[in-house]
Amino acid sequence: MTTSPTQEPAQGLRERKRQQTRQAIASAGLGLFLQQGYDGTTLDQIAAAAGISRRSFFAYFPSKEELLLSAANTGFVEALRTAFAAVPAATLRPVEAMCRELPKLVSRFESEESLAIDRLLRSSETLRARKQAVFMEMENNLSDALAARWRDTDPQALRLVAMSGIGALRLAMDAWRGDHRQAALSVHLDRQLALLRQSVGA
């Protein structure tokens, strides 16, 4: 079936409106979480703040947990894709590119909002367990960005690079918090990636 010239813009408009509504819900939910805590915020309150019904909320997020998790990764996927799309794949190996580009992207995790989200994710046992999903999504996104640039490289090898990179980021975040954020997160990440390069001879 051929799509008419008027159908495609209409579909694009619907998707843009859906994304705008999703962002409005996420912003409303995050604002309430920061004001009154995760456990103190109800789905009814989020829906009311976003100007939608409780039922409509579930068309965009399956739970308030998922809303918080989506906020933790906002913008990271787009930043990864943009950064690795510009990498000279012919002259850099995936692990070299990852070690070069990843530290450039982590300043977003140093914002006050990101720090507040991190505190929320560490505020309960349930959320601490769910936080692992955030890092898994980061691994998947990094692996996809690498695969898009190094199409002829073994996907398992790229997955291993992505897992190593996000593992280094997790260690860097722990060290950064332990250092009371005296040094930039990128400094801690550079140290972890240097250890990674030494261990694999990169």
Side-chain angles (χ1 to χ4, degrees):
M1 179 178 176
T2 303
T3 302
S4 71
T6 58
Q7 283 180 311
E8 194 65 36
Q11 292 171 353
L13 179 60
R14 283 195 296 271
E15 181 58 27
R16 283 196 299 275
K17 286 184 175 180
R18 176 176 174 79
Q19 290 303 318
Q20 288 170 356
T21 301
R22 179 182 169 86
Q23 183 56 48
I25 297 169
S27 296
L30 182 58
L32 289 170
F33 293 154
L34 297 178
Q35 285 177 5
Q36 55 196 38
Y38 176 82
D39 291 329
T41 299
T42 67
L43 289 179
D44 287 333
Q45 289 173 331
I46 296 172
I52 61 170
S53 67
R54 178 189 174 95
R55 181 177 180 179
S56 295
F57 174 92
F58 294 106
Y60 296 90
F61 295 98
S63 67
K64 67 176 188 176
E65 276 185 16
E66 292 301 324
L67 187 155
L68 180 57
L69 291 173
S70 74
N73 256 349
T74 298
F76 190 67
V77 179
E78 293 77 8
L80 273 177
R81 289 173 179 164
T82 300
F84 282 91
V87 166
T91 57
L92 284 179
R93 292 186 298 161
V95 67
E96 294 169 336
M98 184 270 293
C99 289
R100 190 184 80 171
E101 297 299 324
L102 197 56
K104 300 176 184 177
L105 305 177
V106 298
S107 62
R108 69 186 59 249
F109 299 119
E110 296 176 292
S111 70
E112 289 303 318
E113 181 175 282
S114 290
L115 290 170
I117 292 172
D118 185 65
R119 285 193 293 271
L120 286 170
L121 288 170
R122 291 187 287 116
S123 65
S124 74
E125 190 64 37
T126 300
L127 288 175
R128 281 194 293 273
R130 293 291 287 126
K131 187 179 178 181
Q132 305 310 310
V134 174
F135 290 114
M136 288 186 66
E137 185 178 354
M138 287 183 182
E139 286 179 9
N140 291 334
N141 292 331
L142 179 52
S143 182
D144 289 345
L146 292 169
R149 200 71 181 115
W150 285 271
R151 297 180 183 277
D152 296 329
T153 301
D154 186 342
Q156 292 297 313
L158 296 177
R159 178 71 178 171
L160 184 58
V161 171
M163 292 175 69
S164 299
I166 300 305
L169 176 58
R170 295 179 68 171
L171 290 172
M173 285 179 164
D174 288 343
W176 179 58
R177 283 192 292 265
D179 184 41
H180 303 290
R181 305 194 296 274
Q182 294 299 308
L185 176 56
S186 60
V187 172
H188 289 285
L189 180 55
D190 279 332
R191 291 171 184 163
Q192 298 299 328
L193 292 174
L195 292 174
L196 174 62
R197 287 193 296 269
Q198 290 172 14
S199 66
V200 299

